[in-house]
Amino acid sequence: MAAIEQSEARPRSARLPRRARRNQLLGAAQEVFVAQGYHSAAMDDIADRAGVSKPVLYQHFPGKLELYLALLDQHCDALLAAVREALASTTDNKQRVAATMSAYFAYVEDEGGAFRLVFESDLTNEPAVRQRVDQVSLDCAKAVSEVIAEDTDLPENEAMLLGVGLCGMAQITARYWLGSGQKIPRDAAAKLMSSLSWRGIAGFPMHGPDHH
């Protein structure tokens, strides 16, 4: 409540370039949506949090759903980029598993709570939201499966199933870890799950003697 009261007391923002204003509005919207959920959030709350008038907010986003979807797109893209970066960070497959697991744990720990919009949205009955959430999960799994398919003799559909399994385990365990109070340090938790994942995936024969 104190945070909302402080934000309501903020002076109106000076004129900003369009891109900067859009980013500011998305930041304010994230705070409100994470704190209140989609259904309880109001455009008035978001405008107040951003320190702008509601007409300024509507100049950038015609409605609450469009604003939510823009924010969801931003954070789905961020998750996929983090997974792809983890996979590209090394050619050592054991380290790839560790980097990917770490990417999910870092994503859920981000102080802005953006992962809640992706994995714990109260708007999953909205087709446009459901489609984005399902798509980012598939895209992350696809990125992992491509590495598996390249390095093993597994056919594409089996590699994809393993990719879905690895990403699903990473996402669920990272969320459980956060929700249970982070009783294990993040790096230790990610390492524990990496060990479990690697012991499974390492059982599939790799191409050639140079793969780890």
Side-chain angles (χ1 to χ4, degrees), residues 6-76:
Q6 288 174 2
S7 68
E8 290 176 347
R10 292 175 190 169
R12 294 295 181 187
S13 296
R15 186 173 182 83
L16 292 175
R18 185 169 182 82
R19 182 178 293 276
R21 176 67 78 197
R22 177 182 170 86
N23 288 337
Q24 179 203 24
L25 296 174
L26 286 171
Q30 179 178 325
E31 293 180 21
V32 174
F33 284 134
V34 169
Q36 301 181 17
Y38 178 84
H39 294 293
S40 296
M43 292 293 269
D44 282 324
D45 299 331
I46 295 167
D48 286 346
R49 182 67 61 94
V52 302
S53 64
K54 196 155 70 166
V56 168
L57 180 57
Y58 279 111
Q59 286 173 12
H60 292 263
F61 301 100
K64 186 168 71 165
L65 178 59
E66 289 79 7
L67 177 52
Y68 191 87
L69 292 176
L71 194 58
L72 188 59
D73 283 338
Q74 182 183 73
H75 293 299
C76 285

Side-chain angles (χ1 to χ4, degrees), residues 44 63 106 132 169 212:
D44 282 324
R132 283 163 169 81
M169 181 168 64
H212 299 284

Side-chain angles (χ1 to χ4, degrees), residues 61-116:
F61 301 100
K64 186 168 71 165
L65 178 59
E66 289 79 7
L67 177 52
Y68 191 87
L69 292 176
L71 194 58
L72 188 59
D73 283 338
Q74 182 183 73
H75 293 299
C76 285
D77 288 347
L79 174 60
L80 181 57
V83 170
R84 285 176 170 164
E85 182 179 351
L87 293 169
S89 65
T90 177
T91 57
D92 183 305
N93 287 320
K94 184 175 183 180
Q95 294 304 315
R96 275 176 170 157
V97 170
T100 302
M101 196 65 64
S102 293
Y104 274 91
F105 275 77
Y107 184 75
V108 303
E109 195 189 33
D110 182 86
E111 63 182 16
F115 83 94
R116 299 189 187 282

